[in-house]
Each structure stands twice: as C-alpha cells, then as structure tokens.
Amino acid sequence: MNIEKFVNSKLYIAFEWFYRLLTLNILTIITSCLLPVLPFIFWLQNKSSVFLLIFWLILFVFSFLPCYITIFMVIKHYKDEKTGNVFVLFFVFLIDTFLRIYRLEFILIPIFIVCIIGSIYYWDLLGQTEKMDFAGVVAVIGFVLLFFLLIASFFAFLHLPMIISYFRMTTYNLIKFSYLLAFKYFLKTIIYMIVLLGPFLLVNYMPMTFGPFYLLYGISFPLFLMYNFSKGLFWYLQNNLDDIKTENEL
C-alpha cells in the first residue's frame, strides 16, 4: 500500500477532520463545565436559589467563550496546513485566547446581564401598563433599545472567533471591530447565525435524535462551516485592513 497516497486521500482527510472536530467538541464541553461545576451542584441542591443559577450561568459563559473561540483557532491552524497534536493545540490556544479576551468578558458579560434584566423589567412593566402614559412610553423605548442592543451584541459575538484568530487587537478595538463587521457584512452574519443555531434548534425540536450529535459535533462542526464561509472575507480583511469599506473588491 502507498502510505503517502493513502494519507493524502479524501477518505483519510475526512476521517482526520471527524476525529479533530469530535475531540474539540468534547474538550470544549468538559473544559467549560470545570469552572462552574460547584455552583451547579449547589444549585441542584437548592433550585429555589436564583442567585446560584445566575452565578452558574455567568461562570459557564465566562469559561465557554474562550473554548468556543479556541475551536476556531485550532481549525484555522490545521487549515493553514500546519500540524500538531489536537489536545496540545487546544490548551495552548485556550491559554492564549483567555489572556486576550478576559478583559472583554469582564466588560461584556455584566452589560449583557444588565440588558437581559432590563428587558425583562420593561417587558413586565408593559404588561402592567393599561394605557400608553409616560411610563408606558418609557417602557417601550427602554425595551426596544435593550432588545436591539442584545441582538447587536449577539451578532458581534458571531464574528469574535474570526477576528481573534486573524488579528491581534486591543479590547476596545476588538469590541468596535466586531460590531462593525456584524452590520457591514450583515448577510454573512445571518449565515453564521443560522449555522451556529441550527444544531441547537434541532436538538430542542428532536432531542433524542439530535442530542447525541450535538454532544459530539454540535459546537465544533458549525465552527468548521463558519471557517469555510468566512475565510475569503477575513483573508481579504487581513491583507486590506485599510480598505474595509470596499466590499465590492472581495
């Protein structure tokens, strides 16, 4: 058997990617759950505690976001025809990612929580308002502003893996650039959203059928697709950062 020919065959490459994505998905789930495991256990023992639930969710998001971005960085590393052990690469990139975005997390997570609480408050206030008086107008404006801020933040979040993988920026520029790309390339943003949320919605619709798939590939495979959808755009931006407004040259 010609080993070199077999290693370069499409079947072997496909199997290699299935293994890498499986490993990355499992590593992300396990690593993301290590930090918030104790608050989650305490919450299971006292499910009436809203504080424990919120604290658990905050810790989970705080630990999940670097892992999520790390998957994309490892995928890009291999797509750039570089080599390395997937376990080693995951933790090397995870440390680098955390050091680059922990300030971003300390800024955005509290803002995100405030927006959610504010949206719930204004929505509840709207339900209690029988006529459109001054309080009702304030509630409508407040809810609409906070709701669209949440949507805009989610759109910006979709671009974070790509931005961090291709560029090194300050926290301020990272936030500004992610919001800029979210709306400058809105069609791609919608594609990323569909790719990312598609498996999650399928799990909620048919948990017994798609639940096992999500545990194995539900995070890494959408990021693999997002890399293939985004590589042309970010290659262009990486080489033409001063010309970001000229979308027609892509």
Side-chain angles (χ1 to χ4, degrees), residues 5 20 85 89 94 146 172 177 204-205 216 223 244:
K5 184 178 180 180
R20 290 169 179 169
N85 182 280
L89 288 174
L94 179 60
L146 291 176
Y172 171 74
F177 198 47
N204 280 272
Y205 182 67
L216 299 178
L223 283 167
I244 187 175

Side-chain angles (χ1 to χ4, degrees), residues 94-110:
L94 179 60
I95 295 172
D96 178 63
T97 302
F98 176 76
L99 293 175
R100 291 169 61 185
I101 71 164
Y102 74 91
R103 295 185 185 90
L104 177 70
E105 293 190 281
F106 280 128
I107 294 172
L108 292 187
I109 291 178

